[in-house]
Amino acid sequence: MTPIRIFIMGPNKVPEKIIFIGTAIDIIFVLDAIFCFYMPYIDNDTRLIVTSRTQIRKRYLNSTAFYLNIVSCVPVLEIPFTLIFGAYYNVTTVMTFEIIRMTRLLHFQVVFDEFKNFSSRKGPINVSVFRMVVILFCTQLFMCIFGSIYFGLSSSSVADICPGSNLYEENLKDMELWITSDNVIVDVMDPTVCESKQDGKPDCNDCPHVLFFLRSVYFLMQTLFTIGYGDAVVPTKLDTEVAVTCLFMLFGVFGYGLIIANMTSVLSNIDVVNMRFRHEMDSLHLWLKFRSAPASISHKIDMCFHYLERTQYGVLDQNLFEGLPNQLTREITKSNMVLLERVPFINPQYRSKTFLSNISLALIRRIYPPSSIVIHEGEKQRELLIVKRGKVDLYVKSCSEVVATLVENDYFGDCPLLFGTSNEVKGISPGFSEILALPFNKFKKFMDCSSHTDVDSWSSVSNTVSMEDPGAKKTAEVSRMQMDKIFSYVFNLKTHARSKKVRNMFEESAEVKVKGLRILPKSPLLVYWDIAAIFGIMFEAVSVPIQLATYTRSSNLASAHGWVFSIHYAFDILFIIDMYLRMNAYAYTTFENGKSQTIVDIDLIRKNYFSSPWYPIDRIAVAPYDVLSFALGHHILFRIPKLIRVLHLPRTVSRLRTNLSICFERSMNEKLSSIIKMFLCSILIIVWSSAGWNALRLKDSGHKSVYWALTTLTTVGYGDLTPKNARETIYAIFIGAVGATFTAGIIANVTSFFHDTDVSEDNIDHKMNCVIKFMENHSRPLEQVKRIREYFEYIEREQRGISEDKILHKALPDHLKSEVLMHITHAMVSKCPHFSNRELGFQRQLMTSLEQRFFSSRSMIITPSLPSDGMYFIKKGTVDLLSETKMGESIPFRRLGVDDYFSEDSLTDHWDCNPYLAVSVTDSELWYLNRFVFYRLVENFLDEGAQLSKLEPIKKANTHSRHDTTVTHGNSGGNSVFFIHPDNYFIQCWFGLILTITIYTMMTIPFRYAFMENHEITTIWLLLDYFGDFILFLDLLIRSFFLAYYDDSHLVTEKERIWRHYYESGKMKWHIASLIPIEVSALYQPILCPMWKLQVWSLFRMNKLFRLLEIPALVTSVESSLAKLGVRVPKNAIRVGKVIAVIVFSAHFI
């Protein structure tokens, strides 16, 4: 109020009520200054509460707050001054006290800090949201203060801005002042205007202080938020006023930028943990799709990570404890020592506590979803497994029944770990299970360490423990006893034909038994119900404000029910049914003690619903307020409480996303979910804003109200529709502030969307630039720099910038990584005769031991100078094997494709020189098996190593037969088939031509239809149009029969499969629709209009616009083609170009 008292009211025209309020506030500040002598504080060093009055007083007197409070208390002296001097009270003294009051603004920093500390005691607060609240508060405060100051500055040339209605025309009317230029103020102060208004009901006020304040704040709102209606401007254009206005505009630009930047931070941090998890899952799903992972693996990964999300926000253990000191890690893993003590070999009776502690650090926690295989029967798994949560059912090959169950604290695998034996049982997790695993590689590394003297019987040659060790001996006895019990139980089952199973307290039924109506978590009804709920919420939220505005304009709030109310009541019934189903029928899933369980008990369902955030809102919204309207009227007013359901909208969209994934296995990524929420919220804000304006402006139509709302919310501010009175000004100030936040939110959301989309690409770019800079500074050969650049460009082009190495080694736990690696490498390994018939455990470990390598086109894989020390498998691409002639020339003698292999001899033979060379024909993804890794693998599978050595002569013969053929280009003999390779230069240029024709069609057809109604069709137009049609027809033929494609890295060239692939892609439908010559039909109907008018011609060619659906894919193809040709365009430039193109094309169509 102080700026208003100083700059708008003046010291002599302040009402007594405001003076009384100001005096009361002065007394409050005095009391606050006194209370500070008695307020305890928290010591920053000891973090203890200090209650000593001496220390409190000393700290307060030495603080800045004390002097600030002293200055703030000075205005209280105004009370005795008034009592003593009375009428002689000096105006200058009054102004001095008012200015001193303004120093109290410095208290806000302290107040905000105290409020933040107080809020943090109740729980963690979101710093970005708190900062946003502070910024908005300071912005409103700035508008109030500096709006009042500017009003006083613009009126400083007049002694009295309120001379009275009799003197207004004589003293003010012809002057260039704000109060004479602002039409809203003039309509109230000028008696000749206000007395001639509306039906003889004047609204005159010769000194409207409230209106002065509102219009000044309204002016600042337009300036700061860059709306600029133009109805409140600098009237006199004096240098001082213009300079101050320019400062306001500059401050507005920076302030608005601060709001946008902080809104981006709010959106990024409002649910940062969950958002980060969902974005990581989106990247993981995208990579799994790129790798054509089966649904079973994707589902297993989803279940595992959702379990981690519920227990530790989706963070893997290796990332969770990364960076912790060793002593804290030991304390965390100390509980695992108790579990290890049950294992005979590690029991404290045979081992030291140091040994036990170090082994506990090597344990890895694994999460096995339901139906996961934990123990592989007949394989040398060589892992110690300890059940921490859940259970594992054991099976044997000869029996389909569960023969035993491992429950919490049970263990398995100690014998295979110590002695290298095979598993005799298979273990399956019926629910979620947490398993502590000690992998053999960590155990071997630990045992090979010479500092561990606890075990003298460990053999580094055979990688086994001698039976002379008492712990090992005890392990063998216990293991044999357990297996004897299991096989004795199996024998009894077969002998007595009994189906009895070994049960335990964690046993649960595989089928959910339901009594009465229950909707299970995987029911498709949930998806359709969520969609209906979203429509119902949006209908209520849109319809009620519009009806309220309509009835307010007609002064008919007490009107009878209309037909729209029947729709309202239909949705009421829908939500009543929804509430009933949530209380009685919606089953849900719990995950407790490592067990997944579907809850169908009605009491538990109700308890879960009543404790959820849905219930309080549903209880308010379902109440039958409309019953009162039959007695009291005003039906639409009783619909307002139903709008509380809008709070359900974000949760309902999130729930729809979850249900789509569970019920239909359709993924809606986090970006799309955010866009849907932003779109729905935008609709509501626009509708509500326009409905309020429509209720205030009786002469404006609904369309104009929407127009005003959009120009304000988007801060465009054309200025043709502006406030005309105080009520409209207040509403415009409010909507302007909301609009600034709304626009900032959209900009921040879009910024966040692009940032999230390209964060991995930016990392790839940054890493590439750093590596290349390093190579250049160390004078590395240009060929190496080129290969590095080609590798990163391949990752960006083929894998959308997703680092596969990061996904495999940091984003996936080890057991899931093994399954994914097996999926990727299984086809290559299984087709190799050396490994196809080997023991499954050997194959499994071999597949997970392969190393991915990338070679760009024409890169040497096996060089003349460096002998190969491993075997290569081809996952993608083509490789030529070359032999060197006596003349030193390299001649290709074999071309290898997907799933082929080469250099297998180097696994068993040490090559002094390479018998042949290998070069990549295209960009190739190879998987490499190192000789030393292979040796370590064979050490664990000695039998397999012996069999592989016996295959050596066969292997050499097979090598000879594979290599002793010439390179062929295409199929031989009469089976040669013409096809177009998807990576050759022709098809890359062809897609560029198709994109050019599509853009030509998109630009010319709407333009000719809109503006060329009087133009005749010329030969040039006909040639251009039909040349484009001819090219598109050829494109249809090429795609239908000749354009080969990759199917999981395999090049498909058969015409039937090409046609089927093109048909199933869905593109054929709109390609054929765009080729139909509809314009020919006008020849048979000349009465419609003159055929040879260009406008009509364009109208009949509108079906060509179906090709617009393919523009995104064509743009991506052209970008990829340019990258392959070596044309590198910065991604930011491409991104900006796309946005500008979308804006230009959209404006062209509109």
Side-chain angles (χ1 to χ4, degrees):
M1 290 300 297
T2 302
I4 301 175
R5 293 169 63 175
I6 297 174
F7 299 104
I8 293 181
M9 295 181 178
N12 297 324
K13 294 187 177 181
V14 180
E16 292 183 0
K17 292 182 179 179
I18 295 180
I19 294 175
F20 176 78
I21 294 173
T23 303
I25 294 175
D26 293 340
I27 295 173
I28 290 174
F29 272 93
V30 172
L31 294 176
D32 178 68
I34 296 173
F35 288 157
C36 287
F37 284 99
Y38 303 94
M39 292 179 62
Y41 67 93
I42 299 176
D43 187 85
N44 293 328
D45 297 328
T46 63
R47 306 305 299 171
L48 298 176
I49 299 177
V50 178
T51 57
S52 172
R53 291 188 179 182
T54 304
Q55 295 183 16
I56 293 173
R57 187 181 301 110
K58 182 179 179 181
R59 177 178 179 272
Y60 178 50
L61 292 175
N62 294 329
S63 67
T64 307
F66 171 73
Y67 299 99
L68 185 61
N69 286 340
I70 291 297
V71 176
S72 301
C73 292
V74 169
V76 81
L77 300 177
E78 186 178 5
I79 300 174
F81 268 77
T82 306
L83 296 176
I84 296 173
F85 297 101
Y88 301 98
Y89 191 25
N90 195 311
V91 173
T92 304
T93 307
V94 175
M95 295 292 292
T96 302
F97 283 125
E98 297 289 356
I99 293 174
I100 292 175
R101 283 191 176 95
M102 294 289 290
T103 61
R104 294 171 180 171
L105 294 174
L106 300 176
H107 281 79
F108 276 121
Q109 180 64 41
V110 178
V111 172
F112 285 134
D113 289 341
E114 289 293 333
F115 180 73
K116 182 179 178 181
N117 293 332
F118 174 77
S119 301
S120 62
R121 292 171 199 158
K122 297 183 177 181
I125 63 172
N126 192 307
V127 178
S128 299
V129 175
F130 183 82
R131 186 169 59 242
M132 191 69 195
V133 173
V134 173
I135 291 174
L136 293 177
F137 175 82
C138 292
T139 303
Q140 296 295 332
L141 187 66
F142 181 90
M143 290 193 298
C144 295
I145 295 174
F146 287 92
S148 302
I149 293 174
Y150 186 74
F151 181 85
L153 180 66
S154 65
S155 306
S156 60
S157 59
V158 181
D160 188 2
I161 60 173
C162 297
S165 57
N166 297 330
L167 301 176
Y168 177 84
E169 186 171 357
E170 178 181 346
N171 294 349
L172 301 178
K173 190 170 185 179
D174 295 330
M175 298 182 66
E176 288 188 344
L177 298 172
W178 191 341
I179 57 177
T180 59
S181 302
D182 193 310
N183 293 329
V184 177
I185 297 177
V186 171
D187 289 349
V188 175
M189 292 187 65
D190 190 349
T192 60
V193 176
C194 69
E195 290 177 0
S196 60
K197 273 192 206 176
Q198 310 175 359
D199 303 327
K201 296 180 181 179
D203 188 18
C204 299
N205 190 341
D206 56 1
C207 194
H209 288 134
V210 175
L211 190 57
F212 293 160
F213 171 71
L214 291 176
R215 297 300 291 181
S216 61
V217 173
Y218 174 70
F219 168 76
L220 258 294
M221 182 270 296
Q222 294 185 58
T223 306
L224 295 181
F225 296 147
T226 67
I227 296 178
Y229 286 126
D231 57 331
V233 296
V234 181
T236 59
K237 304 297 187 293
L238 296 176
D239 292 342
T240 305
E241 295 181 33
V242 172
V244 173
T245 305
C246 291
L247 288 177
F248 287 160
M249 286 188 283
L250 289 175
F251 181 85
V253 171
F254 287 104
Y256 196 26
L258 179 64
I259 292 176
I260 294 174
N262 197 73
M263 183 63 75
T264 305
S265 178
V266 168
L267 294 176
S268 300
N269 295 290
I270 195 168
D271 193 11
V272 61
V273 176
N274 291 327
M275 289 283 287
R276 179 178 179 181
F277 169 75
R278 289 191 287 267
H279 287 312
E280 289 177 351
M281 289 301 297
D282 289 341
S283 298
L284 186 57
H285 285 145
L286 184 62
W287 179 77
L288 290 172
K289 183 178 180 181
F290 163 74
R291 280 298 182 183
S292 302
S296 58
I297 292 181
S298 299
H299 185 58
K300 191 177 294 185
I301 291 175
D302 281 344
M303 289 194 294
C304 178
F305 274 97
H306 283 111
Y307 181 88
L308 288 174
E309 182 188 19
R310 290 185 294 270
T311 56
Q312 54 198 48
Y313 294 110
V315 182
L316 298 177
D317 286 2
Q318 59 261 35
N319 301 328
L320 192 65
F321 303 122
E322 187 178 4
L324 284 180
N326 288 336
Q327 73 214 42
L328 292 178
T329 306
R330 288 182 181 274
E331 290 180 12
I332 293 172
T333 59
K334 193 174 182 180
S335 60
N336 297 337
M337 295 174 61
V338 180
L339 302 176
L340 285 170
E341 290 177 358
R342 301 189 60 186
V343 181
F345 180 77
I346 312 176
N347 191 279
Q349 180 181 354
Y350 309 109
R351 310 289 172 240
S352 65
K353 289 186 177 180
T354 303
F355 182 90
L356 195 63
S357 175
N358 291 331
I359 285 290
S360 67
L361 290 175
L363 292 176
I364 299 174
R365 189 173 70 110
R366 296 175 179 173
I367 308 299
Y368 286 94
S371 303
S372 297
I373 299 177
V374 181
I375 302 170
H376 299 274
E377 185 178 10
E379 296 185 13
K380 292 182 181 180
Q381 194 167 341
R382 303 207 74 172
E383 288 181 330
L384 173 64
L385 304 174
I386 303 175
V387 181
K388 190 172 184 180
R389 280 187 180 182
K391 65 176 182 177
V392 177
D393 289 336
L394 301 182
Y395 297 83
V396 294
K397 188 178 296 184
S398 58
C399 182
S400 60
E401 303 284 346
V402 175
V403 297
T405 300
L406 301 178
V407 297
E408 291 186 11
N409 302 334
D410 282 349
Y411 64 90
F412 187 87
D414 50 344
C415 260
L417 180 71
L418 299 178
F419 310 122
T421 58
S422 300
N423 294 328
E424 298 181 73
V425 296
K426 179 170 70 173
I428 297 179
S429 172
F432 280 97
S433 300
E434 290 187 19
I435 307 294
L436 296 177
L438 178 60
F440 177 74
N441 58 344
K442 290 194 174 185
F443 178 72
K444 182 179 184 303
K445 183 179 180 181
F446 180 77
M447 299 299 287
D448 287 340
C449 182
S450 59
S451 62
H452 300 297
T453 58
D454 294 75
V455 184
D456 297 328
S457 56
W458 170 257
S459 172
S460 299
V461 178
S462 62
N463 292 326
T464 58
V465 177
S466 172
M467 290 297 294
E468 297 178 359
D469 185 271
K473 187 176 182 180
K474 182 66 174 178
T475 297
E477 292 176 359
V478 173
S479 177
R480 192 68 265 161
M481 188 184 306
Q482 292 173 344
M483 295 310 302
D484 287 343
K485 289 182 179 180
I486 290 176
F487 285 109
S488 175
Y489 176 76
V490 174
F491 178 77
N492 291 333
L493 282 178
K494 293 181 178 180
T495 303
H496 303 288
R498 293 182 294 133
S499 60
K500 182 179 178 181
K501 300 179 183 179
V502 176
R503 304 282 186 176
N504 61 74
M505 59 182 296
F506 289 95
E507 187 69 25
E508 63 180 352
S509 175
E511 296 182 358
V512 179
K513 296 182 179 180
V514 179
K515 294 181 179 180
L517 174 63
R518 296 293 184 273
I519 300 176
L520 299 179
K522 292 186 178 182
S523 172
L525 176 65
L526 296 174
V527 174
Y528 304 122
W529 196 263
D530 287 338
I531 296 173
I534 292 174
F535 274 104
I537 293 171
M538 290 299 296
F539 177 80
E540 290 279 352
V542 170
S543 176
V544 171
I546 292 176
Q547 292 181 76
L548 189 62
T550 302
Y551 291 133
T552 301
R553 287 166 59 89
S554 61
S555 300
N556 194 22
L557 281 174
S559 63
H561 290 75
W563 65 270
V564 179
F565 283 93
S566 60
I567 304 178
H568 284 295
Y569 295 147
F571 279 115
D572 284 349
I573 295 173
L574 173 73
F575 285 115
I576 290 173
I577 296 173
D578 178 69
M579 190 173 183
Y580 172 81
L581 293 176
R582 290 184 184 281
M583 287 192 297
N584 299 280
Y586 275 6
Y588 64 96
T589 304
T590 61
F591 301 88
E592 297 178 359
N593 300 318
K595 182 176 63 174
S596 170
Q597 184 176 3
T598 300
I599 304 299
V600 296
D601 182 74
I602 189 170
D603 294 330
L604 293 177
I605 290 175
R606 289 179 179 176
K607 183 179 179 181
N608 179 66
Y609 175 57
F610 292 153
S611 61
S612 70
W614 301 85
Y615 176 65
I617 297 174
D618 288 343
R619 185 174 58 182
I620 296 173
V622 167
Y625 306 100
D626 300 80
V627 175
L628 299 175
S629 67
F630 289 102
L632 303 176
H634 301 82
H635 308 293
I636 191 60
L637 295 179
F638 288 99
R639 300 297 306 178
I640 294 177
K642 308 289 185 181
L643 296 180
I644 196 173
R645 285 201 186 96
V646 171
L647 300 176
H648 275 335
L649 197 57
R651 291 194 190 101
T652 306
V653 175
S654 299
R655 189 178 63 188
L656 174 61
R657 177 175 182 260
T658 303
N659 289 334
L660 277 172
S661 175
I662 295 174
C663 303
F664 293 106
E665 296 184 355
R666 298 288 183 86
S667 60
M668 178 195 296
N669 59 35
E670 183 61 30
K671 304 179 188 88
L672 180 58
S673 176
S674 299
I675 290 174
I676 293 174
K677 293 176 185 177
M678 182 177 65
F679 175 72
L680 296 178
C681 291
S682 301
I683 291 176
L684 295 183
I685 292 175
I686 293 170
V687 170
W688 291 356
S689 302
S690 57
W693 184 259
N694 191 247
L696 293 173
R697 295 291 288 263
L698 303 181
K699 295 183 179 180
D700 289 348
S701 64
H703 297 89
K704 286 186 177 180
S705 299
V706 174
Y707 169 76
W708 176 86
L710 282 172
T711 56
T712 304
L713 292 172
T714 57
T715 69
V716 174
Y718 289 122
D720 50 342
L721 290 177
T722 55
K724 300 299 183 184
N725 53 48
R727 288 190 307 169
E728 294 175 7
T729 301
I730 294 173
Y731 188 74
I733 293 172
F734 174 74
I735 297 300
V738 172
T741 310
F742 167 75
T743 305
I746 291 180
I747 295 173
N749 214 330
V750 173
T751 302
S752 177
F753 172 75
F754 278 104
H755 174 72
D756 291 336
T757 300
D758 298 318
V759 63
S760 58
E761 295 180 358
D762 293 337
N763 288 337
I764 287 290
D765 265 356
H766 178 67
K767 189 173 181 179
M768 179 182 69
N769 293 331
C770 292
V771 173
I772 291 177
K773 187 69 174 177
F774 170 83
M775 300 286 285
E776 292 174 348
N777 288 338
H778 288 77
S779 303
R780 304 302 298 173
L782 293 178
E783 183 63 28
Q784 291 184 2
V785 176
K786 179 183 176 183
R787 287 176 58 192
I788 290 173
R789 185 185 296 276
E790 288 174 344
Y791 166 74
F792 282 111
E793 288 177 350
Y794 172 83
I795 294 297
E796 180 183 333
R797 182 178 67 251
E798 301 295 334
Q799 299 182 6
R800 300 188 184 182
I802 297 177
S803 174
E804 189 164 70
D805 181 72
K806 182 179 179 181
I807 291 287
L808 287 173
H809 296 93
K810 293 186 178 180
L812 287 175
D814 62 331
H815 62 295
L816 292 180
K817 181 182 75 173
S818 299
E819 290 202 30
V820 174
L821 283 175
M822 287 175 60
H823 161 70
I824 296 174
T825 61
H826 178 266
M828 301 182 298
V829 174
S830 61
K831 291 182 180 180
C832 177
H834 302 72
F835 308 120
S836 58
N837 296 320
R838 304 279 74 82
E839 194 261 337
L840 293 178
F842 177 80
Q843 286 189 9
R844 187 184 307 277
Q845 293 195 28
L846 187 141
M847 292 175 191
T848 56
S849 300
L850 297 179
E851 174 190 348
Q852 184 189 36
R853 291 190 177 183
F854 164 79
F855 293 91
S856 59
S857 176
R858 309 310 304 172
S859 295
M860 292 299 299
I861 302 171
I862 298 179
T863 63
S865 58
L866 186 64
S868 176
D869 60 350
M871 178 181 181
Y872 292 90
F873 296 89
I874 303 175
K875 178 65 178 177
K876 185 177 182 181
T878 307
V879 174
D880 275 350
L881 301 183
L882 314 174
S883 61
E884 288 189 305
T885 64
K886 295 181 180 180
M887 303 298 295
E889 298 179 354
S890 298
I891 300 176
F893 65 89
R894 179 67 177 172
R895 174 159 292 180
L896 305 178
V898 176
D899 294 340
D900 279 336
Y901 57 93
F902 59 94
S903 186
E904 64 274 21
D905 297 352
S906 62
L907 290 179
T908 55
D909 297 339
H910 290 270
W911 286 358
D912 295 326
C913 62
N914 296 321
Y916 51 81
L917 308 180
V919 61
S920 60
V921 180
T922 62
D923 291 343
S924 301
E925 177 191 341
L926 308 182
W927 288 78
Y928 175 69
L929 178 60
N930 185 274
R931 180 193 301 135
F932 301 103
V933 174
F934 178 71
Y935 281 172
R936 287 199 300 267
L937 183 61
V938 170
E939 288 177 0
N940 301 331
F941 297 87
L942 297 177
D943 295 339
E944 299 299 329
Q947 294 182 27
L948 285 171
S949 63
K950 295 177 182 178
L951 289 175
E952 187 173 353
I954 302 175
K955 175 185 63 180
K956 291 182 178 179
N958 183 51
T959 301
H960 178 76
S961 63
R962 289 172 65 245
H963 295 167
D964 194 20
T965 55
T966 57
V967 176
T968 58
H969 302 274
N971 297 347
S972 60
N975 295 326
S976 59
V977 177
F978 173 76
F979 67 92
I980 300 175
H981 199 284
D983 296 329
N984 66 17
Y985 292 131
F986 168 76
I987 202 64
Q988 294 172 13
C989 298
W990 181 262
F991 284 143
L993 177 62
I994 297 298
L995 178 62
T996 303
I997 292 173
T998 305
I999 293 176
Y1000 163 80
T1001 304
M1002 180 177 63
M1003 297 298 292
T1004 56
I1005 290 180
F1007 178 80
R1008 295 186 313 200
Y1009 173 70
F1011 303 110
M1012 305 189 74
E1013 64 276 9
N1014 295 321
H1015 290 71
E1016 303 290 339
I1017 295 181
T1018 62
T1019 306
I1020 297 297
W1021 285 122
L1022 287 174
L1023 290 175
L1024 289 174
D1025 286 353
Y1026 282 112
F1027 172 76
D1029 291 350
F1030 176 71
I1031 295 297
L1032 295 180
F1033 177 73
L1034 289 180
D1035 181 64
L1036 179 68
L1037 293 178
I1038 290 174
R1039 292 178 188 239
S1040 298
F1041 303 106
F1042 305 109
L1043 182 58
Y1045 68 95
Y1046 285 108
D1047 182 11
D1048 193 19
S1049 302
H1050 294 270
L1051 185 66
V1052 178
T1053 60
E1054 294 83 358
K1055 289 186 178 181
E1056 292 183 3
R1057 293 184 63 185
I1058 291 174
W1059 183 88
R1060 190 183 309 113
H1061 173 73
Y1062 180 42
Y1063 176 77
E1064 292 176 352
S1065 68
K1067 296 179 181 179
M1068 177 182 285
K1069 299 175 183 178
W1070 69 68
H1071 287 176
I1072 293 176
S1074 66
L1075 287 174
I1076 299 176
I1078 301 178
E1079 65 271 16
V1080 177
S1081 63
L1083 296 173
Y1084 301 98
Q1085 298 291 336
I1087 195 172
L1088 292 176
C1089 46
M1091 174 56 197
W1092 292 104
K1093 293 294 183 182
L1094 191 56
Q1095 185 183 49
V1096 179
W1097 175 264
S1098 301
L1099 174 63
F1100 282 101
R1101 289 183 59 81
M1102 283 291 182
N1103 62 310
K1104 312 301 177 185
L1105 298 180
F1106 278 117
R1107 277 278 183 168
L1108 299 185
L1109 298 173
E1110 201 181 9
I1111 283 185
L1114 290 173
V1115 170
T1116 303
S1117 299
V1118 171
E1119 288 180 20
S1120 177
S1121 301
L1122 291 175
K1124 291 178 180 178
L1125 293 172
V1127 180
R1128 181 172 176 80
V1129 183
K1131 288 192 296 295
N1132 285 334
I1134 294 176
R1135 197 175 302 128
V1136 172
K1138 288 180 180 179
V1139 173
I1140 293 175
V1142 169
I1143 294 173
V1144 170
F1145 292 151
S1146 300
H1148 174 72
F1149 270 91
I1150 295 174

